[in-house]
Amino acid sequence: MLETLRKIVQEVNAAPDLESVLDVIVRRVQRAMRTDVCSIYLLDQERERYVLMATQGLNKKSVGQASLSLDEGVVGHVGQRAEPINLEDAATHSSYTYIKGTGEHKFHAFLGVPIIHHRSLLGVLVIQQKAIRKFDEAEEAFMVTMSAQLAGVIAHAEATGSLTQVAGQEKSESDRKFEGVSGCIGVAIGPAVVMTPLADLDGVPERKIDDIKAEITKFKQALAQVRRDIKKVGRSLAKRLRSEERELFDVYIRMLDDNALAGEIIARIKEGQWAQGALKLVIGEHVKQFSLMDDPYLRERATDIKDLGRRMLTCLQESGPALSEIVFPENTILVADELTPAMLGEVPTEKLMGLLSVNGSGNSHAAILARSMGIPTVMGAVDLPYTRIEGLPVILDGYSGRVFVNPSDDLEQCYRDIIREENEVNAGLEGLKELPAETTDGYRMPLWVNTGLVTDVARSLDRGAEGIGLYRTEIPFMIRDFFPSEYDQMETYRRQLEAFAPRPVTMRTLDIGGDKPLPYFPIQEDNPFLGWRGIRVTLDHPEIFLVQIRAMLRAAEGLDNLRIMLPMVTNVQEVEESKKLINQAVDELREEGHVVNQPLIGVMIEVPAAVYQVRRFARRVDFISVGSNDLTQYLLAVDRNNPRVAGLYVSYHPAVLKALQFIAREAHKENVSVSICGEMAADPGGAILLMAMGYDVLSMNATNLPKVKYAIRGVSFERAKDLLDRIIVMDDPDKIHMMLRKTLKDLGLGQLPRPTIPD
Ligand code: PEP
Ligand code: MG
């Protein structure tokens, strides 16, 4: 049964559009289950009806015609109950409704299972038989498995289909909406530009071209290059391979012949598709065909074809314009399967209006960077067929995490109004720069910034930051091809220290691993967030750690505003070892004649183990800083990067709030200052709560600093403490959120969290 399931799913995956997807499902399931009928009813949200979309066994003329309201028929009943219904004789069920013209009256046995994708009902998959009999448990289990596996494919095909319909039109009548999560608030309107990582065939966007001749020439050049490469590899391995293995190289070359793959690709280019898109489509078709073959040897050939495809793509990418030469359109909305921090730097800032990532979540590092740059961003739009939206107009709503492709004029106007309101609110906040973050009853709350990019410094100073609470040193490491030298690092760090002096600058030691790999230092792990991350990597590589510390100390010569912070610490030994290495670097530099001061040293509280050791850490260091992004992930056991569980990543979870309050109290018992540099401090409501908990410094992205200052200046410390007292005993994060919003509104700060968004 498993093999049947695998083959059906594979074949369905290979179908090019929704109609074929549904057609393959009903034909294959009917055959596999040996039933008389298999049908799919899909939910039409607008009409609020289930529509018969495909059938094997009922009257085909009813497809697209026959439909049921939400509470009609056994199909409606399956949808309402969201569970399988298995009946000996459907006609005897109280909900049974016969739809004229379908020919359904001949069938008695009925098994309907709901098709559910990410908690929303897409439709119902039904099998029927003439006999009066109940389907057995194994049949029911198979249908449930089938439906669960196919739900994602159907959702994707539905989304792609609706896009294809609108792609050719000037403006759509109904706005095509995709749900993701907020990465950075704000609204952006502009054309989609899809960015593909190198040699990722699946991610290549489909793009129309005018100069077909030039595109064919480009393709032929790439082809010739691949042929030469393969021959060269074949020759160099000739002595080490057996003759049948050597033949593989000849097979590769033959596959590239004009009457094989190459011919098909050229035919696609002649239809107006660019070479990379044509390559992706043709290779995709062949890979699917081979994957479906019964013979394991032939099935394996799919890998060869994929490999050939990747080689050709690499050549085409190398011969294409370098990223820096691409002319990006005005108001570019950059779209990627997985947005990386490095990609953000590829588009000129004045052209970059919004960011859209199919994978990742609001707490991924790309989103954190986007927030520090203030670029509206949506993450985790998992159902977006991103390779099909190149060049299409997009509205990106960074408040709600929604994306609209090819929107209507009316919707666009609504969002243009929001952009105008946003600009008005921001203009109103500009006057706050020189004013202190002081509550109405005179409590002073220091507001610092998180930085990483060179441009962050000017923006932060411009917005009145009083210090840097977190400089993410890994960011300059990520946009290079190898580890930067001590001198290079020193120069980069000096820029931050100098610009802020005499204000304090907190430099975090290299925090790689997790979702922050370095291209030149790959770490392959099954559980990267529980693996070799942060301080674990640098203590295992003291040569990397020491170079970085030396660079920091040298950069701070004569400035005396450096604080060094250690990430992902789980035990005191890590602190002791790090301090030893820092002291070693200080001693060495002094011996070399540098005038370096002992820096302040701090520990980040990012994992539950650290929460219960705050006092032990506090006795050994000068300051404590909470990384609430990771702390939330580890406390709630929710991968901060995974869009599937993004809804469970809740900053206002009672456990998170309790932990944060506990950390502040514990640090203060040792008279050590405690700050927070996670994203929670950047939320006006969160900032008020953290202030009430006693945090000594709030560090946040520069974009949100004025809003947080505005909120603090609008509340009294007494009121903030009263709010915390009420919230800390609440159980439900949603209610906590609501109470925060209501309080902000009552204080006249209602516009701060977000403007009103059209539904
Ligand atoms: C955190 O985890 O809260 C933090 C500030 O570090 P990062 O987001 O860089 O992991
Ligand atoms: Mg962290």
Side-chain angles (χ1 to χ4, degrees):
M1 237 13 189
L2 191 62
E3 185 53 21
T4 315
L5 192 77
R6 188 188 69 77
K7 284 189 74 173
I8 296 180
V9 173
Q10 224 165 26
E11 198 174 337
V12 171
N13 264 316
D17 51 39
L18 181 64
E19 202 183 321
S20 340
V21 161
L22 301 180
D23 190 52
V24 173
I25 296 175
V26 291
R27 277 191 293 113
R28 290 286 173 256
V29 172
Q30 185 251 1
R31 201 195 300 163
M33 302 295 291
R34 296 196 184 89
T35 57
D36 299 317
V37 176
C38 178
S39 314
I40 292 183
Y41 296 81
L42 286 190
L43 180 60
D44 181 333
Q45 296 279 8
E46 258 163 51
R47 288 170 60 205
E48 297 195 339
R49 293 186 77 80
Y50 293 104
V51 182
L52 177 68
M53 295 298 287
T55 185
Q56 186 71 10
L58 297 185
N59 186 353
K60 294 246 189 224
K61 287 204 180 115
S62 308
V63 170
Q65 307 296 322
S67 72
L68 293 157
S69 69
L70 298 188
D71 52 6
E72 215 179 351
V74 190
V75 165
H77 204 56
V78 174
Q80 269 173 346
R81 296 203 13 196
E83 63 181 349
I85 293 187
N86 186 353
L87 303 171
E88 238 174 46
D89 186 359
T92 60
H93 192 275
S94 57
S95 303
Y96 180 80
T97 310
Y98 172 65
I99 320 176
K100 252 171 96 184
T102 55
E104 205 180 4
H105 56 286
K106 291 187 277 219
F107 306 102
H108 297 283
F110 174 102
L111 171 59
V113 292
I115 308 169
I116 297 175
H117 179 61
H118 289 305
R119 293 195 185 198
S120 58
L121 183 75
L122 302 182
V124 178
L125 176 65
V126 175
I127 50 174
Q128 290 171 284
Q129 239 169 346
K130 279 194 183 133
I132 296 186
R133 67 166 279 241
K134 203 160 176 186
F135 289 100
D136 66 29
E137 279 195 11
E139 288 168 316
E140 197 174 314
F142 180 84
M143 287 290 283
V144 170
T145 317
M146 189 86 244
S147 162
Q149 286 221 25
L150 293 176
V153 191
I154 293 176
H156 197 76
E158 265 194 318
T160 312
S162 61
L163 271 187
T164 315
Q165 279 163 25
V166 298
Q169 299 171 12
E170 275 292 288
K171 284 277 168 188
S172 60
E173 308 262 297
S174 66
D175 304 298
R176 189 62 200 118
K177 182 170 84 181
F178 297 90
E179 301 277 353
V181 291
S182 169
C184 173
I185 58 166
V187 169
I189 304 177
V193 176
V194 181
M195 192 167 279
T196 334
L198 288 179
D200 171 17
L201 258 183
D202 293 336
V204 169
E206 288 163 41
R207 202 174 274 168
K208 290 283 170 203
I209 38 130
D210 295 325
D211 194 345
I212 290 175
K213 234 170 129 186
E215 204 63 17
I216 292 180
T217 311
K218 202 189 295 171
F219 172 69
K220 286 193 168 162
Q221 281 162 358
L223 192 65
Q225 180 64 43
V226 174
R227 279 207 182 100
R228 279 196 296 275
D229 289 351
I230 293 175
K231 282 187 186 152
K232 202 165 137 202
V233 177
R235 272 198 305 272
S236 69
L237 289 177
K239 286 203 188 85
R240 280 187 275 155
L241 297 179
R242 283 176 292 148
S243 70
E244 60 269 36
E245 285 165 343
R246 278 204 302 271
E247 273 168 23
L248 188 64
F249 289 94
D250 299 334
V251 174
Y252 265 37
I253 300 280
R254 278 202 301 279
M255 280 183 187
L256 294 174
D257 276 355
D258 279 353
N259 52 6
L261 288 177
E264 289 178 46
I265 295 167
I266 289 173
R268 289 288 184 130
I269 298 176
K270 283 184 180 159
E271 288 165 11
Q273 186 62 240
W274 71 320
Q276 295 187 26
L279 174 73
K280 165 185 119 159
L281 294 169
V282 171
I283 295 286
E285 282 159 15
H286 283 270
V287 167
K288 276 167 193 161
Q289 276 168 12
F290 275 100
S291 328
L292 288 176
M293 302 210 170
D294 285 326
D295 183 308
Y297 174 81
L298 287 177
R299 229 172 25 227
E300 265 306 296
R301 301 288 62 79
T303 318
D304 299 337
I305 304 229
K306 245 191 243 164
D307 181 43
L308 267 183
R310 267 192 229 113
R311 282 166 187 273
M312 281 197 271
L313 182 63
T314 308
C315 284
L316 281 170
Q317 284 171 332
E318 277 165 5
S319 68
L323 268 173
S324 55
E325 293 162 24
I326 293 180
V327 182
F328 287 94
E330 295 298 324
N331 304 327
T332 288
I333 304 231
L334 188 67
V335 183
D337 183 29
E338 176 116 41
L339 198 66
T340 62
M343 280 180 188
L344 306 199
E346 305 285 6
V347 188
T349 336
E350 68 284 2
K351 298 270 179 80
L352 185 59
M353 207 41 73
L355 296 164
L356 174 52
S357 185
V358 174
N359 281 297
S361 81
N363 304 292
S364 307
H365 281 91
I368 289 176
L369 270 191
R371 285 200 281 280
S372 91
M373 293 163 81
I375 304 170
T377 301
V378 169
M379 304 289 292
V382 284
D383 289 327
L384 179 79
Y386 72 103
T387 57
R388 310 283 285 261
I389 66 167
E390 173 78 15
L392 292 181
V394 165
I395 292 177
L396 184 143
D397 176 348
Y399 291 99
S400 64
R402 287 180 293 193
V403 176
F404 301 88
V405 178
N406 225 18
S408 61
D409 287 335
D410 285 352
L411 189 72
E412 189 172 325
Q413 194 46 51
C414 280
Y415 274 101
R416 292 219 178 269
D417 290 346
I418 291 176
I419 294 178
R420 193 178 31 75
E421 278 169 35
E422 244 178 8
N423 291 340
E424 282 165 13
V425 172
N426 288 336
L429 296 174
E430 261 168 32
L432 293 178
K433 182 189 163 191
E434 305 298 341
L435 299 175
E438 193 173 286
T439 59
T440 53
D441 48 0
Y443 183 87
R444 185 74 173 74
M445 186 72 245
L447 300 187
W448 296 12
V449 272
N450 299 344
T451 60
L453 302 166
V454 179
T455 49
D456 285 339
V457 173
R459 287 189 80 228
S460 306
L461 289 171
D462 196 43
R463 286 165 176 243
E466 299 164 79
I468 296 183
L470 164 63
Y471 171 57
R472 291 186 165 94
T473 57
E474 56 279 0
I475 291 169
F477 277 67
M478 286 163 98
I479 44 188
R480 293 172 153 264
D481 295 333
F482 43 82
F483 282 111
S485 68
E486 180 176 319
Y487 185 79
D488 284 347
Q489 290 187 47
M490 185 188 79
E491 289 217 305
T492 312
Y493 303 157
R494 179 89 188 171
R495 279 201 286 274
Q496 304 266 332
L497 290 157
E498 216 163 35
F500 264 79
R503 283 163 282 207
V505 172
T506 314
M507 300 216 154
R508 176 169 73 183
T509 60
L510 194 61
D511 186 21
I512 52 170
D515 68 338
K516 287 181 290 190
L518 294 180
Y520 45 89
F521 192 68
I523 302 173
Q524 291 295 343
E525 293 176 325
D526 283 346
N527 278 315
F529 279 116
L530 298 183
W532 209 38
R533 275 197 78 179
I535 200 74
R536 301 172 181 182
V537 178
T538 44
L539 285 181
D540 285 350
H541 278 281
E543 77 286 12
I544 296 173
F545 190 75
L546 278 168
V547 166
Q548 185 174 40
I549 300 293
R550 282 174 58 94
M552 288 177 180
L553 293 167
R554 283 177 64 190
E557 265 188 89
L559 296 174
D560 202 21
N561 58 341
L562 169 68
R563 295 156 37 109
I564 295 180
M565 185 158 80
L566 310 170
M568 263 299 280
V569 170
T570 49
N571 57 56
V572 287
Q573 288 72 29
E574 287 164 338
V575 181
E576 304 280 11
E577 269 184 72
S578 306
K579 279 176 66 180
K580 222 155 112 195
L581 289 170
I582 294 172
N583 289 339
Q584 180 186 326
V586 170
D587 291 346
E588 275 169 19
L589 285 169
R590 284 183 181 157
E591 277 165 28
E592 289 166 28
H594 294 280
V595 187
V596 294
N597 288 326
Q598 190 71 37
L600 295 181
I601 299 175
V603 162
M604 287 188 84
I605 306 295
E606 300 192 273
V607 298
V611 174
Y612 295 105
Q613 299 178 88
V614 170
R615 291 188 72 172
R616 292 178 200 197
F617 292 140
R619 288 196 283 270
R620 289 169 169 84
V621 294
D622 304 297
F623 64 94
I624 294 285
S625 184
V626 181
S628 56
N629 307 335
D630 275 315
L631 185 59
T632 307
Q633 134 164 292
Y634 293 121
L635 272 180
L636 304 183
V638 175
D639 179 344
R640 65 194 265 185
N641 225 14
N642 181 344
R644 277 209 196 124
V645 287
L648 295 175
Y649 186 101
V650 191
S651 304
Y652 296 113
H653 192 289
V656 176
L657 295 177
K658 279 264 182 214
L660 291 171
Q661 191 178 42
F662 177 76
I663 296 166
R665 286 181 177 159
E666 292 285 286
H668 285 159
K669 283 182 193 160
E670 297 293 333
N671 289 323
V672 166
S673 127
V674 58
S675 60
I676 181 152
C677 57
E679 292 298 298
M680 198 171 165
D683 179 42
I688 289 176
L689 286 183
L690 293 162
M691 174 178 75
M693 286 180 192
Y695 278 84
D696 300 298
V697 172
L698 306 181
S699 189
M700 65 205 70
N701 61 66
T703 310
N704 278 26
L705 194 141
K707 286 185 188 170
V708 169
K709 190 186 274 190
Y710 185 71
I712 285 176
R713 289 178 59 82
V715 70
S716 71
F717 190 64
E718 276 316 301
R719 174 91 188 246
K721 285 216 335 209
D722 179 56
L723 180 66
L724 174 64
D725 287 344
R726 279 187 291 147
I727 279 182
I728 205 79
V729 290
M730 290 168 67
D731 299 326
D732 180 349
D734 287 341
K735 292 205 176 123
I736 293 176
H737 214 221
M738 261 157 54
M739 179 174 279
L740 277 176
R741 289 180 63 119
K742 184 173 175 307
T743 309
L744 287 173
K745 209 162 160 212
D746 291 349
L747 289 167
L749 309 169
Q751 266 306 88
L752 280 183
R754 56 184 259 183
T756 320
I757 311 288
D759 257 331

